[in-house]
């Protein structure tokens, strides 16, 4: 095992719409996420994002808890609809102030703010130009990024562009980031997002030459279900589709031949202008951030094998079938969480290795973690030993990847404090800190330190040497 670097950024993550609540406070305008209850695909019987963990009104206390754990960094997203009021780009000063205060508070405790520009909560006013389907989207996104760079650029050293751009394409409907009214193909939307990302990178480099900026997709190794050559081919194809096309476009500046052939195979076309090609070629990131939860296992699917289900309603790793290419299957060698996500810490090492070998850029982990139905005991404790075990294994795997030669900047698992899952409510908890509320009973929102809180605090204090 290799030691973690001296200035390693230990911390954790959150996203605005899943954590802040206060959807109508402080001059915020609506986002696509505020309308979760109008979405056909949003499951019944679970809470939405109106109140969430009420971080908007608990932010000082929340930052103090992060400081108590010894965080060196905190990755959070800025809510676009809290900052910009309308399609003309008018700014909401209260929103600007909220994040300025938050950033100042983090810096007060020597916590490095790591800012995601856009994490799923598209402002509703974007519908006026046709939503993510519109080729205008990237310009509006660039203007919003400019406001962030102007206001926070002197204090924020690390920027992340768009959270899980690749998951917009795959599970966009279930997460709710792709409007049910959307007319474009998901690949056109993905392209529009790639252009928006490139414009933000280009602008960041121009306005903030000392800052660092990177993408934050969800990446995972893909395994072939057997050693049959056609299963290996399915693995290579899914690797491309799920991972590499999204990192190639940002790190290498173009879509590879595989992707162009794939679009023909599924009878889809995307419009790419010459100007966009130029921007994509000249907007390279400084590092790669990625979210890792699990690996994917696939086998070949013949062209007669059921119908195309790229419109996945499963999760990040399962439920995909592309006739002639492959389909996802369960990995019998792995255990799963209470919510059915396979747990694969060796896969984490493998994924880190693959990403580093391919792009040779420093890596930051911006999500990793276990969603579980934590139980508050009578003596007001949460004994989440399963979470400690999960982190132990994954952090050990990360240290082994460092020993393998992977250059790592930081680790910010999901999530700092409990928040609302994308589509499985507040009962699917991820935090080191418990928020005392249920799906529909908001109780007192009290913050309670879980056992994992004390474990992580100790690990950070020792810079991971006790792992
Ligand atoms: C990532 C997202 O996909 O996974 C987060 O970036 C999300 O927003 C996290 O919360 C866990 O997924 P879920 O569906 O359990 O909330």
């Amino acid at each position: 095992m290799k030691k973690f670097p001296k200035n390693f950024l230990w911390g954790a993550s959150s996203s605005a719409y899943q954590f802040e609540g206060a959807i109508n406070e402080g001059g915020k305008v609506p986002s696509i996420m505020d309308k979760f209850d109008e979405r056909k695909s949003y499951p019944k019987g679970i809470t939405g994002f109106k109140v969430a963990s009420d971080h908007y009104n608990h932010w000082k206390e929340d930052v103090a808890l992060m400081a108590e754990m010894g965080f060196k960094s905190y990755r959070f997203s800025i809510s676009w609809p809290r900052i910009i009021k309308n399609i003309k780009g008018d700014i909401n000063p209260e929103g600007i102030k909220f994040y300025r205060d938050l950033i100042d508070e983090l810096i007060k405790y020597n916590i490095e703010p790591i800012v995601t520009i856009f994490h799923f909560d598209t402002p509703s006013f974007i519908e006026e130009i046709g939503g993510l389907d519109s080729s205008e989207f990237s310009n509006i996104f660039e203007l919003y990024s400019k406001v962030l760079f102007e206001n926070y650029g002197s204090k924020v050293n690390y920027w992340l562009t768009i959270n899980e751009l690749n998951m917009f394409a795959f599970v966009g409907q279930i997460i709710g980031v792709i409007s049910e009214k959307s007319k474009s193909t998901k690949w056109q939307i993905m392209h529009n997002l790639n252009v928006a990302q490139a414009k933000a990178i280009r602008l960041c480099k121009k306005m903030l030459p000392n800052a660092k900026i990177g993408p934050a997709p969800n990446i995972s190794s893909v395994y072939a279900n057997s050693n049959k050559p056609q299963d290996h081919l399915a693995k290579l194809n899914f690797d491309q589709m799920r991972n590499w096309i999204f990192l190639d476009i940002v790190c290498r500046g173009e879509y590879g031949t595989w992707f162009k052939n794939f679009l023909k195979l599924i009878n889809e076309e995307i419009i790419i202008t010459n100007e966009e090609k130029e921007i994509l070629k000249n907007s390279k990131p400084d590092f790669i951030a990625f979210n890792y939860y699990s690996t994917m296992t696939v086998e070949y699917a013949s062209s007669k094998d059921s119908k195309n289900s790229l419109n996945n309603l499963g999760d990040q790793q399962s439920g995909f079938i592309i006739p002639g290419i492959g389909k996802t299957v369960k990995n019998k060698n792995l255990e799963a969480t209470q919510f059915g996500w396979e747990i694969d810490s060796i896969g984490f090492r493998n994924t880190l290795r693959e990403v580093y070998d391919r792009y040779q850029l420093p890596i930051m982990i911006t999500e990793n973690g276990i969603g579980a139905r934590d139980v508050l005991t009578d003596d007001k404790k949460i004994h989440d030993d399963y979470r400690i075990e999960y982190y132990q294994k994954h952090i050990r795997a990360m240290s082994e990847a460092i020993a393998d030669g992977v250059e790592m900047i930081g680790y910010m698992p999901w999530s700092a404090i409990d928040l609302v899952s994308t589509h499985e409510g507040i009962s699917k908890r991820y935090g080191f800190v418990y928020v005392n509320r249920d799906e529909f009973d908001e109780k007192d929102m009290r913050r309670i330190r879980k056992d994992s809180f004390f474990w992580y605090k100790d690990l950070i204090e020792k810079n991971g040497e006790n792992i």
Side-chain angles (χ1 to χ4, degrees):
M1 246 184 281
K2 181 97 183 247
K3 288 186 177 168
F4 289 93
K6 200 165 143 259
N7 298 322
F8 192 70
L9 294 174
W10 296 105
S13 279
S14 73
S15 90
Y17 84 96
Q18 295 173 271
F19 196 27
E20 287 174 9
I23 61 170
N24 298 317
E25 286 178 51
K28 180 183 161 296
V29 296
S31 89
I32 187 169
M33 290 305 174
D34 299 351
K35 299 185 181 156
F36 64 91
D37 39 9
E38 290 169 25
R39 215 196 303 155
K40 280 191 236 98
S41 62
Y42 198 77
K44 303 280 166 274
I46 58 165
T47 189
F49 308 103
K50 287 192 172 120
V51 182
S53 301
D54 199 26
H55 170 67
Y56 189 76
N57 295 302
H58 286 74
W59 61 273
K60 267 202 173 184
E61 180 190 352
D62 290 345
V63 173
L65 283 161
M66 295 176 204
E68 191 184 324
M69 268 189 280
F71 279 18
K72 312 284 180 221
S73 58
Y74 170 49
R75 178 246 183 175
F76 61 97
S77 76
I78 289 187
S79 158
W80 185 351
R82 216 177 260 299
I83 296 287
I84 305 289
K85 293 199 286 195
N86 50 39
I87 201 74
K88 288 189 292 176
D90 291 334
I91 296 171
N92 171 27
E94 267 189 272
I96 297 285
K97 180 176 179 318
F98 175 71
Y99 295 106
R100 179 168 298 137
D101 291 347
L102 175 66
I103 290 168
D104 286 344
E105 190 75 359
L106 290 166
I107 292 174
K108 183 177 109 188
Y109 288 111
N110 289 320
I111 300 175
E112 184 81 54
I114 307 215
V115 174
T116 316
I117 298 174
F118 176 35
H119 191 130
F120 297 163
D121 53 351
T122 322
S124 299
F125 61 71
I126 297 289
E127 295 295 333
E128 291 170 35
I129 55 154
L132 304 177
D133 300 31
S134 163
S135 59
E136 261 305 289
F137 174 80
S138 62
N139 293 330
I140 307 286
F141 182 73
E142 190 179 13
L143 286 177
Y144 159 58
S145 305
K146 183 162 179 269
V147 173
L148 301 192
F149 298 153
E150 272 164 0
N151 281 282
Y152 311 121
S154 62
K155 296 176 179 171
V156 174
N157 298 313
Y158 292 95
W159 295 90
L160 305 165
T161 53
I162 300 177
N163 180 67
E164 297 198 351
L165 198 159
N166 54 340
M167 289 302 133
F168 277 73
F170 295 119
V171 284
Q173 227 96 50
I174 184 93
I175 302 176
V177 280
I178 294 194
S179 154
E180 285 168 338
K181 287 183 242 145
S182 167
K183 292 189 193 72
S184 289
T185 73
K186 58 182 68 202
W187 300 102
Q188 184 65 51
I189 289 176
M190 184 208 79
H191 172 68
N192 295 348
L193 289 163
N194 278 326
V195 175
Q197 166 167 265
K199 287 187 177 172
I201 294 177
R202 183 181 62 173
L203 187 68
C204 181
K205 294 195 173 290
K206 192 166 148 217
M207 291 178 64
L208 309 172
N210 296 324
K212 296 196 183 312
I213 186 161
N218 178 309
I219 301 294
S220 78
S221 285
V222 179
Y223 302 139
N225 197 29
S226 78
N227 56 7
K228 286 184 204 152
Q230 66 265 42
D231 285 350
H232 185 71
L233 185 59
K235 170 227 152 33
L236 294 178
N237 287 331
F238 267 86
D239 256 338
Q240 285 290 337
M241 191 185 81
R242 191 199 184 293
N243 300 314
W244 308 142
I245 51 174
F246 297 93
L247 283 174
D248 281 359
I249 191 68
V250 61
C251 298
R252 297 178 174 168
E254 50 189 15
Y255 298 113
T257 309
W258 183 88
F259 182 56
K260 291 173 194 154
N261 291 339
F262 171 69
L263 285 178
K264 280 190 210 134
L265 180 97
I266 59 171
N267 287 322
E268 283 187 15
E269 229 181 315
I270 55 177
I271 302 158
I272 312 176
T273 66
N274 286 337
E275 191 203 342
E276 287 171 350
K277 280 188 191 154
E278 204 47 42
I279 293 165
L280 288 162
K281 220 172 252 158
N282 294 304
S283 313
K284 307 274 168 65
D286 301 295
F287 63 91
I288 293 175
F290 72 86
N291 301 346
Y292 172 88
Y293 286 91
S294 188
T295 44
M296 178 183 256
T297 304
V298 300
E299 65 184 27
Y300 177 72
S302 84
S303 38
K304 287 183 223 115
D305 208 353
S306 62
K307 65 178 190 16
N308 191 328
S309 85
L310 247 186
N311 274 323
N312 186 30
L313 286 181
D315 59 38
Q316 311 162 350
Q317 314 292 5
S318 59
F320 299 101
I321 303 178
I322 311 170
I325 291 213
K327 61 180 172 198
T328 51
V329 295
K330 196 170 143 39
N331 188 331
K332 296 191 197 79
N333 304 298
L334 298 174
E335 286 178 8
T337 69
Q338 287 174 324
F339 288 84
W341 290 23
E342 288 168 352
I343 303 174
D344 187 1
S345 57
I346 299 175
F348 186 32
R349 177 181 181 179
N350 299 340
T351 307
L352 286 164
R353 288 267 302 267
E354 284 184 75
V355 172
Y356 191 69
D357 285 351
R358 203 175 159 95
Y359 303 102
Q360 303 277 304
L361 282 172
I363 296 176
M364 179 188 280
I365 291 300
T366 39
E367 286 183 37
N368 172 229
I370 180 169
R373 295 184 194 281
D374 295 338
V375 177
L376 183 64
T377 55
D378 292 343
D379 56 348
K380 306 288 173 240
K381 298 220 166 15
I382 296 94
H383 300 302
D384 55 344
D385 41 318
Y386 39 87
R387 182 165 291 111
I388 295 174
E389 188 190 335
Y390 180 98
Y391 282 133
Q392 252 162 351
K393 288 188 175 153
H394 284 76
I395 294 173
R396 189 167 300 142
M398 181 167 60
S399 79
E400 284 161 351
I402 293 174
D404 293 335
V406 176
E407 196 185 335
M408 295 282 320
I409 310 175
Y411 179 69
M412 277 146 281
W414 190 259
S415 55
I417 294 170
D418 284 347
L419 37 67
V420 180
S421 145
T422 55
H423 60 287
E424 293 183 286
I426 184 81
S427 308
K428 189 182 192 185
R429 294 176 185 269
Y430 282 93
F432 294 102
V433 176
Y434 186 89
V435 174
N436 192 33
R437 62 157 294 181
D438 288 343
E439 291 300 338
F440 296 107
D441 181 355
E442 281 149 24
K443 299 188 180 168
D444 57 8
M445 292 278 181
R446 192 150 42 99
R447 275 44 179 164
I448 302 170
R449 296 161 184 80
K450 303 183 190 176
D451 287 358
S452 57
F453 176 102
F454 301 101
W455 175 84
Y456 196 41
K457 176 180 180 347
D458 183 54
L459 178 115
I460 296 176
E461 223 166 76
K462 301 194 168 96
N463 199 27
E465 283 182 22
N466 54 337
I467 198 70

